[in-house]
């Protein structure tokens, strides 16, 4: 009998309520009452005034309308007793405004619309009205503009409704503007709305304006709510966690949660998930405009700086926990705070993962915050904090290897590097190039990565930065290994090891030693490869490393395979697979499965090797680059050939050869030799690249 519809201004609460009221009219034959309570205005309608108008509508003469609100409410309820009347209380400010307007009889019904969620309205069925779906939005737009115009420019029309945030009021305004301008193509309006700084100004027609609708709700906020609303608009990213918001607002989490939940109740903020909040796209633009109007530039800058510091401290904490003993974090801008007992604990807590002091919770924090963290890095770089943004990318480097965030990480690297170059900050540029190298290498673009690594090492030397210099040399060595330039690789890796050793950074030295073991293995020095990989493994064990320990196990497994110690190789590589999987490093989980397949095949199990190779291909489908997939395809071909499936083997080798030749890699010679020496049994069924067993 009592339903309360809440939602953001312009979402269509009144339209929906009126539609429902008309549709159920026959069930309330004794009449319908309607009032606009003006709840979003500076002077909401008094309940006493509404009761007087309702009593008159029910047949009470003016002289018989009681003076007091209590008497009017009592008379109203007595008149409705035994009747079936539907009352629509539109645009209510809060529950207090409507309590005296409720009939109090089960035969009557009440529909309430409000921007406020009436959680304190006893017995009410609460309905949260969301924006339209994309398809519904397109239908509404076409109804006003005309189906022919929309169908001829469907993508542009979708761009328009997306720019409107699928908000019905915004769509209606945009469509009305277009309908009154027959010479405009839909794409003209789409281009106008693409400019975020002008979007709200474009979304007005006649006396309707999205900005004016939002302004009504904003005007009702208490000072602390208004400040929070404005500053939230400055934060980029799809949403924000409670802890991040607390940092942005410079308030404790408890106070912050109270403020944010109150904004949720006013429909200006959405609760995306427990402990996470988001602003509708248009509301965000409005909040940002309010911040530019009502906050000082210094206050806004301080807020976004606090948010950047929060993410940097949290990422440093993850880095330090994943890489115990690694001094890299001490060289980062947030390293000292991030390594202490207070900064990382607070930064790592989100309220979503239980005890934030636990290892798993801290790691999960990085992935939960990934999109917001990378958006913050881009915002920081554009806002004159390019040094911290570059450090944040290094601290969050694990995101590059997940597959899920690899592209966003790469795009962020490009933004940070561009700003560092533009500002002439060679220190930040060197570190940005370290992250760019890592990202490009993960995507398989080794030539581009080689150039970035060389620049990183050069800039590190010029600025005296051991991070850029050491990683620059190390990455040059890794890339040289990929390109089979073993002499060059050895030179770079020896330099990297020396830089890391001089810095007293044992774990990064172990990384260089692991890579150096690969060079020795490639040049036939199996005993020294085993010794180098073993030293790296011992260093990681000594410092208590987990994730990076898998790197040493990977190198050690390869060396053991070459030494014919197949059982030990398999054990080390299976351990590497498990660690990489646990840490969501999909690239290296796939590559470890590939190396495990090599070890299994060397032990004489072609069927098992083929299964592992196909699993690796499944993981490397969209990460790692073509040359890595070509390596796995070569192994899969060998394993299939060993099981008598020479047709499928040839298909794998042909794919691999095409990749190696396109990349101008020396592996093409070996694959061509395999093809020349295989007789084949016809075309076979092709080479599968899905993670299914043979």
């Amino acid at each position: 009998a009592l339903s309360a519809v809440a939602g953001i201004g312009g979402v269509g609460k009144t339209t929906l309520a009126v539609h429902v009221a008309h549709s159920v009219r026959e069930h309330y034959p004794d009449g319908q009452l309607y009032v606009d309570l003006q709840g979003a205005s500076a002077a909401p309608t008094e309940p006493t005034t509404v009761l007087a108008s309702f009593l008159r509508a029910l047949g009470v003469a003016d002289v018989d309308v009681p003076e007091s609100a209590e008497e009017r409410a009592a008379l109203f309820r007595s008149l409705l007793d035994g009747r079936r009347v539907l009352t629509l209380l539109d645009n209510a400010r809060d529950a207090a405004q409507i309590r005296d307007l409720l009939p109090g009889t089960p035969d009557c019904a009440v529909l309430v619309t409000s921007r406020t969620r009436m959680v304190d309205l006893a017995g009410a069925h609460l309905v949260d009205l969301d924006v339209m779906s994309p398809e519904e939005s397109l239908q509404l737009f076409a109804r006003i503009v005309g189906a022919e115009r929309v169908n001829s420019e469907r993508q542009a029309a979708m761009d328009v409704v997306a720019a409107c945030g699928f908000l019905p009021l915004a769509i209606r305004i945009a469509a009305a503007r277009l309908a009154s301008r027959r010479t405009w193509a839909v794409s003209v309006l789409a281009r106008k709305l693409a400019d975020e700084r002008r979007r709200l100004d474009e979304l007005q027609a006649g006396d309707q304006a999205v900005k004016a609708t939002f302004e009504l709700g904003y005007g009702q906020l208490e000072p602390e709510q208004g400040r929070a609303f404005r500053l939230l608009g400055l934060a980029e990213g799809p949403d924000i966690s409670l802890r991040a918001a607390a940092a942005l607002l410079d308030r404790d989490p408890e106070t912050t949660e109270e403020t944010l939940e109150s904004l949720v109740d006013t429909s200006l903020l959405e609760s995306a998930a427990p402990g996470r909040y988001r602003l509708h796209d248009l509301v965000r633009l409005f909040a940002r405009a309010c911040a530019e109007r009502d906050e000082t530039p210094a206050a806004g800058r301080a807020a976004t700086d606090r948010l950047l510091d929060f993410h940097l401290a949290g990422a440093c904490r993850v880095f330090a926990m994943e890489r115990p003993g690694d001094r890299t974090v001490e060289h980062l801008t947030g390293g000292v705070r991030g390594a202490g007992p207070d900064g990382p604990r607070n930064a790592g807590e989100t309220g979503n993962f239980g005890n934030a002091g636990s290892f798993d919770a801290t790691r999960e924090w990085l992935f939960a915050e990934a999109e917001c963290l990378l958006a913050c890095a881009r915002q920081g770089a554009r806002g004159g904090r390019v040094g911290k943004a570059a450090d944040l990318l290094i601290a969050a480097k694990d995101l590059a290897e997940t597959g899920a965030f690899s592209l966003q990480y790469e795009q962020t690297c490009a933004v940070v590097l561009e700003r560092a170059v533009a500002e002439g900050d060679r220190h930040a540029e060197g570190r940005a190039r370290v992250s760019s190298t890592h990202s490009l290498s993960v995507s398989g673009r080794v030539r581009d990565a080689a150039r970035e690594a060389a620049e990183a090492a050069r800039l590190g030397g010029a600025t005296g930065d051991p991070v850029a210099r050491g990683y620059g040399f190390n990455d040059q060595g890794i890339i040289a290994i990929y390109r089979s330039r073993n002499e060059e690789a050895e030179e770079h890796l020896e330099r990297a090891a020396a830089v890391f050793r001089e810095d007293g950074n044992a774990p990064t030295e172990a990384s260089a030693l692991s890579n150096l073991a690969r060079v020795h293995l490639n040049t036939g020095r199996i005993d020294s490869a085993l010794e180098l990989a073993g030293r790296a493994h011992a260093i990681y064990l000594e410092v208590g490393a987990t994730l990076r320990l898998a790197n040493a196990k990977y190198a050690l497994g390869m060396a053991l395979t070459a030494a014919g110690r197949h059982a030990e190789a398999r054990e080390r590589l299976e351990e590497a697979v498990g660690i990489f999987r646990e840490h969501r490093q999909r690239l290296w989980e796939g590559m470890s499965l590939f190396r495990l397949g090599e070890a299994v095949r060397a032990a004489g199990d072609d069927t098992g090797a083929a299964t592992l190779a196909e699993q690796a291909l499944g993981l490397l489908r969209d990460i790692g680059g073509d040359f890595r997939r070509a390596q796995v395809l070569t192994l899969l071909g060998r394993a299939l050939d060993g099981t008598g499936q020479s047709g499928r083997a040839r298909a794998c080798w042909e794919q691999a050869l095409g990749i190696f030749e396109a990349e101008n890699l020396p592996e093409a010679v070996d694959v061509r030799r395999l093809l020349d020496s295989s007789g084949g049994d016809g075309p076979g069924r092709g080479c599968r690249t899905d993670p299914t067993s043979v």
Side-chain angles (χ1 to χ4, degrees):
L2 175 58
S3 290
V5 182
I8 187 177
V11 79
K13 299 181 296 295
T14 298
T15 302
L16 174 62
V18 169
H19 173 77
V20 170
H22 281 300
S23 69
V24 300
R25 187 170 188 168
E26 63 185 57
H27 299 290
Y28 298 94
D30 295 319
Q32 293 184 327
L33 298 171
Y34 171 86
V35 64
D36 180 357
L37 294 171
Q38 300 289 321
S41 70
T45 306
E46 291 293 332
T48 306
T49 304
V50 176
L51 285 168
S53 66
F54 279 178
L55 290 173
R56 294 187 190 99
L58 292 170
V60 177
D62 286 347
V63 295
D64 295 326
V65 174
E67 287 296 324
S68 71
E70 293 79 5
E71 290 177 321
R72 290 182 181 184
L75 179 58
F76 175 61
R77 292 188 177 109
S78 67
L79 289 173
L80 293 183
D81 188 28
R83 297 188 184 186
R84 298 185 62 82
V85 174
L86 174 65
T87 304
L88 174 50
L89 305 176
D90 192 22
N91 196 13
R93 183 181 184 91
D94 51 31
Q97 188 186 19
I98 67 169
R99 284 198 179 95
D100 287 342
L101 308 180
L102 302 179
T105 172
D107 293 328
C108 293
V110 180
L111 280 171
V112 183
T113 71
S114 177
R115 300 188 185 197
T116 302
R117 296 183 74 248
M118 297 196 176
V119 293
D120 54 344
L121 189 61
H125 171 58
L126 303 181
V127 178
D128 291 321
L129 189 58
D130 201 354
V131 296
M132 287 180 161
S133 70
E135 194 56 40
E136 289 169 339
S137 300
L138 208 57
Q139 289 175 14
L140 174 60
F141 187 70
R143 241 178 249 169
I144 301 170
V145 172
E148 185 176 346
R149 292 176 79 181
V150 170
N151 291 337
S152 64
E153 292 185 90
R154 185 177 176 84
Q155 185 54 55
M158 185 57 77
D159 291 342
V160 169
V161 297
C164 292
F166 310 115
L167 186 71
L169 174 62
I171 296 168
R172 285 171 50 200
I173 291 172
R177 289 192 65 196
L178 193 61
S180 65
R181 293 163 175 80
R182 303 301 302 175
T183 60
W184 278 20
V186 180
S187 56
V188 171
L189 181 58
R191 283 194 297 273
K192 287 178 174 292
L193 294 177
D195 183 355
E196 287 191 350
R197 297 192 65 84
R198 291 280 308 158
R199 187 174 299 167
L200 288 175
D201 292 329
E202 294 288 347
L203 289 174
Q204 55 183 344
D207 62 350
Q208 288 191 321
V210 171
K211 186 187 294 185
T213 299
F214 293 160
E215 192 75 59
L216 289 173
Y218 174 64
Q220 294 181 5
L221 299 180
E222 299 294 331
E224 184 67 15
Q225 290 177 311
R227 174 182 179 271
F229 177 70
R230 294 189 294 272
L231 296 184
L232 286 170
L234 297 177
E236 296 185 6
D239 60 7
I240 191 167
S241 71
L242 173 59
R243 296 283 174 170
L248 177 79
L249 302 180
D250 197 23
R251 300 288 188 265
D252 63 77
E254 291 74 21
T255 301
T256 300
E257 183 174 27
E258 183 178 342
T259 302
L260 297 188
E261 287 296 329
S262 71
L263 288 173
V264 170
D265 287 339
T266 65
S267 299
L268 284 172
L269 187 65
E270 301 172 27
S271 179
R276 301 200 74 87
Y277 301 87
R278 67 169 172 243
L279 291 165
H280 180 274
D281 290 347
L282 294 180
V283 177
R284 181 192 301 276
L285 294 179
F286 175 72
R288 192 170 297 165
C290 290
E292 293 173 356
R293 181 188 70 194
D294 301 335
E295 292 284 346
T296 65
R301 178 67 170 270
T304 55
D305 281 354
R306 288 192 298 269
L307 185 61
L308 180 58
D309 286 342
F310 166 83
H311 283 119
L312 181 54
C316 282
R317 183 184 187 216
V318 177
F319 189 101
M321 290 187 70
E322 296 274 28
R323 300 166 177 80
D326 191 333
R327 291 199 62 218
T328 300
V329 73
E330 298 175 30
H331 296 296
L332 304 183
T333 314
V336 175
R337 181 176 59 257
D342 293 326
R345 182 174 67 250
N346 293 336
E349 290 173 356
T350 66
N352 297 335
F353 308 111
N355 177 13
S358 72
F359 189 93
D360 289 342
T362 302
R363 186 194 307 133
E364 286 297 322
W365 175 88
L366 179 65
F367 297 111
E369 290 290 336
E371 292 185 79
C372 296
L373 181 150
L374 294 173
C376 187
R378 295 190 294 271
Q379 183 176 17
R382 295 185 180 114
R385 295 292 186 266
V386 70
K388 285 187 177 182
D391 285 355
L392 180 54
L393 285 175
I394 289 178
K397 64 182 296 187
D398 289 347
L399 295 177
E401 298 176 359
T402 62
F405 306 108
S406 301
L407 179 58
Q408 292 179 55
Y409 186 90
E410 180 183 329
Q411 292 169 341
T412 305
C413 286
V415 171
V416 175
L417 178 56
E418 179 185 9
R419 291 310 309 162
V421 172
E423 293 178 19
D425 189 335
R426 295 197 300 164
H427 189 271
E429 181 187 347
R431 294 188 174 185
R433 291 193 186 278
V434 167
S435 299
S436 181
T437 299
H438 185 56
S439 179
L440 291 167
S441 178
V442 165
S443 67
R445 284 173 286 170
V446 293
R447 288 185 179 83
D448 294 336
R451 288 193 292 270
E452 291 289 87
E455 275 297 288
R458 183 187 67 80
L459 288 164
T463 60
D465 181 13
V467 174
R469 190 160 179 256
Y471 279 104
F473 284 138
N474 193 53
D475 289 337
Q476 284 185 89
I478 294 171
I479 295 164
I481 292 173
Y482 294 156
R483 303 168 82 179
S484 298
R485 299 177 179 177
N486 293 305
E487 184 176 343
E488 179 183 328
E490 187 164 0
E491 180 182 349
H492 290 311
L493 292 170
E494 292 281 9
R495 288 181 178 178
V499 172
F500 292 140
R501 194 178 305 117
E502 182 182 349
D503 191 40
N505 201 341
T508 48
E509 181 186 354
S511 174
L513 294 177
S514 294
N515 296 322
L516 199 54
R518 297 271 304 277
V519 177
H520 283 232
L521 189 61
N522 291 345
T523 52
R525 293 172 282 173
I526 297 176
D527 289 342
S528 57
L530 282 167
E531 191 270 332
L532 286 166
R535 280 171 56 192
H537 193 266
I539 291 172
Y540 283 131
L541 284 175
E542 183 179 352
V543 299
T546 50
L547 173 57
R548 292 306 112 188
L549 179 62
N551 289 1
K553 290 182 181 294
Y554 179 90
L556 190 54
M558 291 178 63
L560 288 166
T561 299
R565 295 158 61 177
H566 302 134
E568 294 175 79
R570 181 167 186 163
E571 186 176 353
R572 296 291 85 76
L573 289 166
E574 285 175 344
E575 291 168 348
V577 169
I579 295 172
F580 284 131
R581 179 177 297 146
E582 179 186 357
H583 290 258
R584 300 191 190 184
Q585 301 299 294
R586 186 154 61 90
L587 168 61
W588 291 108
E589 180 188 349
M591 289 303 294
S592 296
L593 284 169
F594 160 56
R595 298 302 182 186
L596 180 57
E598 289 184 324
V600 167
R601 182 175 179 274
D605 183 2
D606 282 309
T607 300
T611 299
L612 289 163
E614 289 198 318
Q615 291 174 358
L617 284 170
L619 288 166
L620 299 174
R621 182 178 289 119
D622 56 0
I623 191 173
D626 289 340
F627 84 94
R628 289 189 176 97
R629 286 190 288 277
Q631 290 178 321
V632 184
L633 285 166
T634 304
L635 169 65
L636 180 54
R638 291 179 187 272
L640 291 171
D641 193 52
T643 60
Q645 302 179 68
S646 56
R648 291 188 59 214
R650 284 187 63 84
C652 289
W653 290 332
E654 285 167 356
Q655 287 186 46
L657 179 63
I659 294 169
F660 287 140
E661 287 184 337
E663 300 274 351
N664 195 27
L665 294 171
E667 287 92 336
V669 176
D670 292 334
V671 177
R672 185 169 292 284
R673 188 180 299 117
L674 288 169
L675 284 166
D676 291 342
S677 63
S678 68
D681 59 2
R685 291 173 293 161
C687 180
R688 295 181 307 196
T689 57
D690 59 294
T692 54
S693 59
V694 177

